[in-house]
Amino acid sequence: METHRKARNEAWLRCNDLVVCSCEAAYRRAVRQRVRPSDSVLELGCHEGVTTRLAQTLCGGAVVGVDSSEFTIGKARARWAGEAMSFARMDAFDAGAVRALFQRQAGAGKMPSVVLIDVSGSRAAGDVCELIGKYDRACRPRVIIVKAFKLYSLIVKAEGRLVGQSVRAPERGASARRVGNAALTVLVAAASFLLGGLRARRRST
């Protein structure tokens, strides 16, 4: 019992399922596969709301999309006017404010059971990992689904290092990686891989 409790306390993620996707097709496929009728959904980086709308057709709870662009949010509101979901311009890195917004839409004390993250597929892996950690702690969702090619590539390389294999970066047509409870091990290895490369380049200059 003590060992089990210690492992739970040291786990980096509380969510049951973390899926990192390399491209838009894999991202939307993961949404179709994992969003349930009982879910409520928050999408960070909703753009014009296409994936937000997909999630809304699959679930019965509140659906909220946020994006940093007022122009894009305006297009999302116009495109999906009358649908049972809401859009707001917000900074995704302000997890407290975004959570408060979601609770105003869904009801006091309610949290999204699914968090979708699409803050530009080419966003730096460190930024995406920061968002994963923020929303895992702030919202405690059942599932986090991420579209981030750089993070996906880093995880693939890290997995290769863990098993002692040489793994090339995936092509952009590649699919998704379920990270789940192994997230801490894989991402720490990924960070080591990245920092090791940076140090090597600095020594050579």
Side-chain angles (χ1 to χ4, degrees):
M1 178 61 74
E2 181 62 32
T3 301
H4 176 66
R5 182 162 56 245
K6 184 172 184 291
R8 286 179 59 85
N9 290 339
E10 290 181 355
W12 185 66
L13 290 178
R14 295 183 177 92
C15 72
N16 294 326
D17 200 4
L18 169 63
V19 182
V20 179
C21 306
S22 66
C23 61
E24 189 172 87
Y27 180 60
R28 292 180 180 162
R29 183 165 59 248
V31 170
R32 292 188 190 95
Q33 291 171 345
R34 285 169 170 80
V35 174
R36 302 172 181 172
S38 59
D39 282 328
S40 55
V41 178
L42 169 66
E43 183 172 29
L44 311 172
C46 64
H47 310 287
E48 293 184 24
V50 176
T51 306
T52 319
R53 168 60 175 162
L54 171 62
Q56 189 262 334
T57 65
L58 298 169
C59 73
V63 178
V64 176
V66 302
D67 199 278
S68 61
S69 167
E70 188 66 54
F71 176 75
T72 301
I73 285 295
K75 294 186 74 172
R77 287 172 175 158
R79 181 171 185 174
W80 306 111
E83 300 296 342
M85 53 186 176
S86 60
F87 297 95
R89 179 185 177 276
M90 297 195 76
D91 177 6
F93 287 89
D94 190 349
V98 174
R99 181 179 64 181
L101 167 73
F102 185 89
Q103 291 179 328
R104 287 197 296 272
Q105 301 297 325
K110 293 190 176 179
M111 299 285 192
S113 53
V114 178
V115 173
L116 310 177
I117 301 177
D118 181 12
V119 287
S120 172
S122 60
R123 190 76 174 244
D127 291 345
V128 180
C129 287
E130 181 182 350
L131 281 177
I132 292 169
K134 279 177 179 285
Y135 285 88
D136 181 61
R137 292 188 297 273
C139 300
R140 302 197 177 191
R142 175 178 59 84
V143 183
I144 299 175
I145 303 172
V146 183
K147 189 191 87 176
F149 180 74
K150 288 184 178 179
L151 178 58
Y152 178 88
S153 301
L154 209 55
I155 289 170
V156 171
K157 291 178 180 180
E159 286 174 343
R161 287 176 66 87
L162 287 172
V163 297
Q165 296 176 351
S166 176
V167 180
R168 296 194 306 178
E171 300 297 327
R172 284 194 176 269
S175 185
R177 275 293 200 279
R178 180 181 179 185
V179 183
N181 290 332
L184 178 61
T185 304
V186 172
L187 292 176
V188 166
S192 299
F193 181 92
L194 177 62
L195 291 173
L198 290 173
R199 293 187 186 107
R201 284 196 292 273
R202 284 171 182 164
R203 285 196 297 269
S204 65
T205 57

